[in-house]
Amino acid sequence: MLGEAMRQRLIMNRVLPARIQVIPNWADGTRIRPVPRERNALRREWGLADRFVVGYSGNLGRAHEFQTMLGAMRRLHEDSGIVFVFIGSGAGMVGLRGAVASAGLTNCRFLPYQPAERLAESLSAPDVHLVSLLPQLEGLIVPSKIYGIAAAGRPAIFIGAADGEVANLISACGFGFTVPVGNADELVERLLALRRDADLVVGMGQHARACFERHYERAHGVRRWRTLLDRISRRGAEEPEKRSEERRVGKECRSRWWTEPVQQN
């Protein structure tokens, strides 16, 4: 399972806890590293200069809520110091593009997925990332983009359930906030607070990278999988021996039953 919420969902469906192993997703921390904004070539190429960049990177699909983001963009439309940058694609991205065009918003940009060799720059371009998930899908999906965000050393604001997988992760590691779905006003407050406090942004970014290196670096994931597969392999090797011994004992018992004389009373 990818997270504790998935584990709990299986337990509720009567799967034995001993048969469940949680192995979170991960990112490649050698490829994705924090790139300071003043040395980020993509920020220069995209003309972001010294603006406060709110980013969304990856798939924006049917599982991801965007109305809260749209509400924040509407409220911040007159603030030229903040820009929203959406990098990626998905059904939700198509819907968001249409809503932005209908509202006449000019404080956001839509960009395609970036080449793998520029992923560090791409994920480091925003000052803060947005992550969203519909609350009813907790326990079924874990937005894996959170691990790349952490690898890039950036804060995150999760739009979704307060007790969700991503919400718990960023709270435990201290690199972001959670905002309820539909509460655009609170999202705006969080964004403005981060823009006012550059030290808070830097500190949360450092917490994100430290948390990533402790728990979500690719090497940790590979080691967890190797441990699990080794355990399964050993169990598989032991089972034939156990079954063979059971058959041997059973055969001996049957043999004695047929050959030993029956005591007459």
Side-chain angles (χ1 to χ4, degrees):
M1 291 295 99
L2 298 178
E4 183 60 29
M6 285 188 177
R7 179 177 178 275
Q8 292 302 322
R9 184 177 285 268
L10 285 182
I11 291 173
M12 288 172 60
N13 283 277
R14 301 183 180 181
V15 177
L16 293 175
R19 297 183 64 84
I20 304 171
Q21 178 72 42
V22 175
I23 300 180
N25 269 330
W26 61 82
D28 185 347
T30 59
R31 172 173 289 182
I32 306 173
R33 299 194 66 84
V35 179
R37 58 186 298 178
E38 65 274 9
R39 296 206 300 269
N40 194 317
L42 277 182
R43 278 188 72 107
R44 293 194 298 273
E45 292 174 22
W46 293 342
L48 299 174
D50 294 327
R51 301 175 78 182
F52 186 81
V53 180
V54 182
Y56 185 99
S57 182
N59 179 54
L60 184 59
R62 293 180 175 85
H64 309 117
E65 196 273 345
F66 68 77
Q67 291 295 334
T68 310
M69 303 179 208
L70 182 62
M73 285 189 280
R74 284 182 172 137
R75 287 159 174 78
L76 294 168
H77 180 53
E78 301 298 326
D79 191 333
S80 61
I82 295 181
V83 61
F84 291 79
V85 176
F86 294 87
I87 306 167
S89 63
M93 201 75 80
V94 174
L96 181 58
R97 276 179 177 270
V100 165
S102 297
L105 300 177
T106 58
N107 59 341
C108 62
R109 301 183 188 180
F110 293 92
L111 298 164
Y113 285 110
Q114 299 301 298
E117 61 270 18
R118 305 204 74 176
L119 192 54
E121 293 172 293
S122 177
L123 289 172
S124 295
D127 296 287
V128 59
H129 282 262
L130 301 179
V131 181
S132 73
L133 182 67
L134 295 170
Q136 60 267 35
L137 295 179
E138 284 289 347
L140 297 173
I141 297 173
V142 177
S144 59
K145 58 175 60 68
I146 190 64
Y147 306 107
I149 294 167
R154 291 296 181 267
I157 297 179
F158 177 60
I159 303 168
D163 59 350
E165 200 73 43
V166 172
N168 289 334
L169 190 160
I170 62 178
S171 174
C173 294
F175 69 96
F177 308 103
T178 293
V179 171
V181 168
N183 196 334
D185 289 334
E186 184 175 344
L187 177 55
V188 169
E189 290 175 9
R190 292 297 191 184
L191 292 174
L192 292 177
L194 287 170
R195 185 178 66 161
R196 287 192 300 265
D197 194 340
D199 290 339
L200 178 61
V201 173
V202 171
M204 283 188 165
Q206 291 171 344
H207 291 163
R209 180 68 193 192
C211 178
F212 168 78
E213 291 179 352
R214 285 196 306 271
H215 303 293
Y216 304 110
E217 173 64 85
R218 182 173 64 176
H220 299 314
V222 171
R223 185 176 63 252
R224 292 177 184 123
W225 271 107
R226 181 176 294 150
T227 299
L228 175 61
L229 293 174
D230 285 347
R231 188 164 72 244
I232 293 172
S233 177
R234 287 195 301 272
R235 186 183 302 162
E238 292 168 357
E239 283 298 319
E241 295 180 6
K242 181 179 179 181
R243 287 194 295 268
S244 177
E245 177 65 14
E246 289 173 349
R247 285 195 297 269
R248 185 188 64 78
V249 172
K251 185 176 180 180
E252 288 181 357
C253 289
R254 288 193 299 273
S255 177
R256 286 197 301 270
W257 189 83
W258 283 108
T259 57
E260 290 179 359
V262 178
Q263 299 294 326
Q264 299 291 333
N265 292 325

